Every structure is written in structure tokens, then in C-alpha cells.
Amino acid sequence: MDVFTSQPSTYQTLDFNVAGQIIRLRVPSSFNWQKELISFGPFHVAYDPEVPVCLEAEVRYGPCDMALPERQLLSDVSIVWERFLFEDAGDYYVTTVKNQDETEKSMMVSEKGFRASTLYVKDSQQAGTAINWLLMVQFGQRILAFGGVLMHASVVEDGKEAYAFLGKSGTGKSTHSRMWLQAFSDFSLLNDDNPVLMVDEDKQQVHIYGTPWSGKTPCYRKDGFPLKGIVRLEQAPENQFTMHAGSQAFLSLMPSGTGIRWNNAIFSRMLDNLQRVSELTRVGYLRCLPNTASARLCFQSLQD
């Protein structure tokens, strides 16, 4: 039984380049991806069957038609979806989401390595939202095999280098990025929720890229920049910056990485990639107020 089938004649094949990696998506010909997947527009590239791909996904309308074994619940917690299930089904993982009023359910059946997935969605106005989120789940696991990590972060750049800000939801990552934009006229927002870090072992450098996933902020840029610094934030009554190194730096990064904890190979790759990021990039910890002074302190502390 294959999770990924050959392309029906009624399907269209789309390629998207995210952080230098190809996401190949097969959707029904009737699916208006330019309208339903607006955030993917800047990442669209011409389909080339000869180009190696990072992952493949096929969208089907209707309920799952695979004969899956009994499923074991692994998680029902998500920072994005309240009605979410992640389950083990023998040779596959099953990701399920329901919309807010629970009138629609979407499901993704993935190979254990997330190389290929089949997405089952209802042919409705909400199909694009479910496809978008399920692809983020798949990409977040698969990119680890290419030296990348999908991070929960907000990122700014000045055309030469980028800075990323980490923290729990509600910490103020977006606010801190906004403080940088107010404090420094040459900075712009690269991504406000889920950028990708890519480790270049040849150049001993980390680059950070925009993605189609930017939370509530419509910032969908495919650009990438060398990562100058990455900082974990904490709200505080005063601004105070501390540089981290070694295990401290690694532990600052780990909570923000996307990698399922129930697959040893995937989780180990995430840890390995984050370890390299912590070794190749300045990592800091900023206790801060929501003001431009915190941005200036952060910037100055990360310079040579």
C-alpha cells in the first residue's frame, strides 16, 4: 500500500521553492491554488520533473480511502489548531485537523520520513487553509534531512544579514521585530512566524529564509540571508542582554524548533541541526520592554 499514488489526468502538478528546496504538490485541476494558497505565490517555480524534490504531497477531495491499521494517539496539542490530532498508524503518521465549528475534517497520511503525503480535504472554501497548514507540518519534518530547521520565530533583515527572535507565544516576538523596524530604517521584516534555518556546512554558515507560513502577518518572502544572531526574548521591567554559548545556546534554540518528539530519527536530526546553528551563530537572551531601546541594545550586543 503506497501513501503516494501516480498523478491522475485530472490533476495539476505545482513546484514551490522554499529555502532552496522543492515542494511538489499535486492538486485537483479544479483547485484554484493562486486564490486558495496565496502565500505560496512568491515561491512558485516552473514544474521540472528532473529537479530533485524535498517532499511530495497529493491533495484529494473526500475522506481518507486508505485501509489504515488501528491508530495510536501521539499528540492532541498544537499552538496553531485547537482541534488537532497526531497519530501513529503502523508505517504511517496521520495528522488530522478540524475547523473551528468542527463541520470539516482534513487528514494527512504521511510516510514515517515525511517524504510523501496524501492530504484528504473537503472541496470547500476552507480547503486552502487546511492544505497550507498540513504542508507546514510535513515540510517542518522533512527539511531536517537537508540540514534545515523550521523555527517558530520572527525575523528582520537589512539586505545583508538577518536577526531572529524566539520566545513562547505571546512573548512579543512580533513586537520586538516592529521595534527594530522603528529603530533602524534599513531593516525589513522577512518572516513573522515560521522561517527556515539552513546550515551550510561547506561555508560553515547559517542562512535564514522566508516561507509561505508567517502566522497572522502576511509576509511571504522567499529571500534568504546569513543569520547574524538569534535571540530568545522574555518580557521584563528593564532591558538586559546576555550572550549564550555552548549548551546554554543550544537549549535556548531547542524549544522553538519543529521536529516531532516521537520519531527518534527526526528528533535527533533536529537536535543535530540546532547544535550546528548554536555553534555557528551568535545566540543571546534578552529580557526586554516593548520599546526601541531594547532593539538598539539587542543589535549592539550582537555586533563583532
Side-chain angles (χ1 to χ4, degrees):
M1 177 174 63
D2 294 328
V3 67
F4 196 73
T5 62
S6 59
Q7 176 190 351
S9 59
T10 55
Y11 273 52
Q12 55 181 318
T13 301
L14 306 166
D15 279 2
F16 302 97
N17 187 320
V18 180
Q21 303 298 325
I22 297 297
I23 294 175
R24 180 156 294 162
L25 179 64
R26 294 188 176 112
V27 296
S29 296
S30 60
F31 181 73
N32 186 348
W33 76 267
Q34 292 96 335
K35 177 182 177 181
E36 301 299 330
L37 297 176
I38 294 175
S39 66
F40 279 75
F43 302 87
H44 182 243
V45 294
Y47 167 63
D48 184 349
E50 301 302 319
V51 173
V53 301
C54 172
L55 64 85
E56 296 184 80
E58 180 177 294
V59 174
R60 299 184 191 177
Y61 290 143
C64 178
D65 58 1
M66 292 181 64
L68 297 171
E70 183 177 352
R71 288 177 259 168
Q72 176 187 358
L73 177 65
L74 297 176
S75 176
D76 58 0
V77 177
S78 168
I79 62 173
V80 180
W81 288 73
E82 294 181 2
R83 298 159 185 83
F84 157 88
L85 294 176
F86 190 81
E87 300 168 299
D88 190 307
D91 293 332
Y92 308 100
Y93 286 127
V94 178
T95 309
T96 304
V97 292
K98 294 182 180 179
N99 61 0
Q100 189 170 7
D101 55 12
E102 300 195 16
T103 58
E104 292 186 20
K105 180 174 72 172
S106 301
M107 177 184 291
M108 178 173 70
V109 181
S110 309
E111 295 176 347
K112 284 288 178 79
F114 289 90
R115 170 63 175 73
S117 295
T118 301
L119 284 59
Y120 298 91
V121 302
K122 184 177 181 180
D123 184 2
S124 74
Q125 294 182 346
Q126 299 185 52
T129 300
I131 293 169
N132 189 317
W133 190 81
L134 291 170
L135 285 176
M136 182 177 71
V137 173
Q138 183 180 2
F139 181 80
Q141 314 313 314
R142 182 61 182 164
I143 194 64
L144 296 167
F146 296 83
V149 185
L150 187 67
M151 298 289 285
H152 186 46
S154 184
V155 187
V156 297
E157 52 79 18
D158 65 356
K160 303 182 292 293
E161 298 171 323
Y163 299 81
F165 312 119
L166 314 177
K168 297 179 180 178
S169 295
T171 297
K173 298 182 293 296
S174 298
T175 298
H176 191 68
S177 284
R178 191 167 67 249
M179 294 302 100
W180 277 62
L181 304 188
Q182 292 179 13
F184 309 111
S185 60
D186 51 346
F187 274 91
S188 300
L189 188 68
L190 177 62
N191 185 275
D192 204 33
D193 198 46
N194 285 281
V196 177
L197 302 179
M198 296 294 293
V199 177
D200 185 337
E201 291 290 4
D202 291 336
K203 296 183 179 180
Q204 295 290 287
Q205 193 174 45
V206 179
H207 281 72
I208 190 163
Y209 294 83
T211 72
W213 308 288
S214 189
K216 297 178 181 178
T217 305
C219 182
Y220 310 116
R221 298 175 54 192
K222 67 182 298 183
D223 307 290
F225 298 90
L227 183 62
K228 176 73 170 184
I230 186 165
V231 179
R232 180 161 292 278
L233 306 176
E234 179 187 347
Q235 294 180 3
E238 61 181 4
N239 298 320
Q240 183 179 23
F241 185 95
T242 305
M243 192 69 76
H244 281 179
S247 60
Q248 242 187 350
F250 170 73
L251 292 173
S252 292
L253 305 182
M254 191 176 70
S256 298
T258 299
I260 57 174
R261 273 60 173 169
W262 312 280
N263 181 303
N264 288 335
I266 288 176
F267 189 55
S268 293
R269 278 197 295 266
M270 186 192 80
L271 297 181
D272 290 343
N273 293 350
L274 287 178
Q275 180 66 43
R276 291 298 292 142
V277 171
S278 71
E279 293 168 353
L280 296 172
T281 308
R282 290 183 174 87
V283 179
Y285 186 83
L286 179 66
R287 302 179 73 251
C288 61
L289 290 163
N291 57 25
T292 55
S294 67
R296 293 189 180 94
L297 172 62
C298 189
F299 175 79
Q300 294 167 359
S301 300
L302 291 169
Q303 301 314 300
D304 296 331

